[in-house]
Amino acid sequence: MFAIVRTGGKQYRVAAGDKIVVDRMDGEAGARITLGDVLFTSTGESGLTVAAEIVAQAKADKVIVFKKKRRHNYRRRNGHRQQHTILQIVSVGAAEEKKAAPKKAAKPKAEKADAAPVEASAE
């Protein structure tokens, strides 16, 4: 069974036992997380989640950004290392736990005054 999940603005095809590299997510190595934004499953069921375990928080290879304007003595060299999280997919298809909506407490109704409205006198 596989699923298509969305995280970090990207979509991933995952199955139990897969390792995927996603944009940085909060959590320490060994922590369990659930990916609730499941777009599609191979069985066609809806309302499922994907359970994953964080393997590591890492950085990607360095990307060199080099800017140059010829004949203007303008050269800029910069580097960037994107942070990412490595996830191990534990299970696909766990039922999503829906929290019950909190019940609203009934507001006490204001007592209506039986007296006639007071007229303002102009003096």
Side-chain angles (χ1 to χ4, degrees), residues 65-102:
V65 179
F66 186 75
K67 300 178 182 179
K68 180 181 178 180
K69 293 184 182 176
R70 53 184 201 156
R71 295 188 299 269
H72 290 283
N73 195 25
Y74 176 83
R75 290 185 298 267
R76 300 291 183 264
R77 182 178 181 272
N78 200 357
H80 175 73
R81 291 187 71 186
Q82 184 70 31
Q83 294 188 358
H84 59 249
T85 301
I86 302 170
L87 296 178
Q88 171 82 35
I89 305 301
V90 176
S91 67
V92 175
E96 184 175 331
E97 297 177 10
K98 294 187 177 183
K99 296 180 181 178

Side-chain angles (χ1 to χ4, degrees), residues 15-113:
D18 287 351
K19 282 188 180 179
I20 59 173
V21 177
V22 299
D23 288 340
R24 175 132 172 114
M25 300 178 82
D26 291 335
E28 297 293 324
R32 294 259 176 143
I33 60 169
T34 58
L35 303 173
D37 197 3
V38 178
L39 303 175
F40 176 79
T41 58
S42 60
T43 60
E45 296 179 43
S46 62
L48 300 179
T49 60
V50 174
E53 181 177 338
I54 297 176
V55 175
Q57 302 284 4
K59 287 185 173 184
D61 293 335
K62 183 175 273 194
V63 177
I64 302 298
V65 179
F66 186 75
K67 300 178 182 179
K68 180 181 178 180
K69 293 184 182 176
R70 53 184 201 156
R71 295 188 299 269
H72 290 283
N73 195 25
Y74 176 83
R75 290 185 298 267
R76 300 291 183 264
R77 182 178 181 272
N78 200 357
H80 175 73
R81 291 187 71 186
Q82 184 70 31
Q83 294 188 358
H84 59 249
T85 301
I86 302 170
L87 296 178
Q88 171 82 35
I89 305 301
V90 176
S91 67
V92 175
E96 184 175 331
E97 297 177 10
K98 294 187 177 183
K99 296 180 181 178
K103 295 182 180 179
K104 296 181 180 179
K107 295 181 180 178
K109 294 182 179 180
E111 295 180 16
K112 294 183 179 179

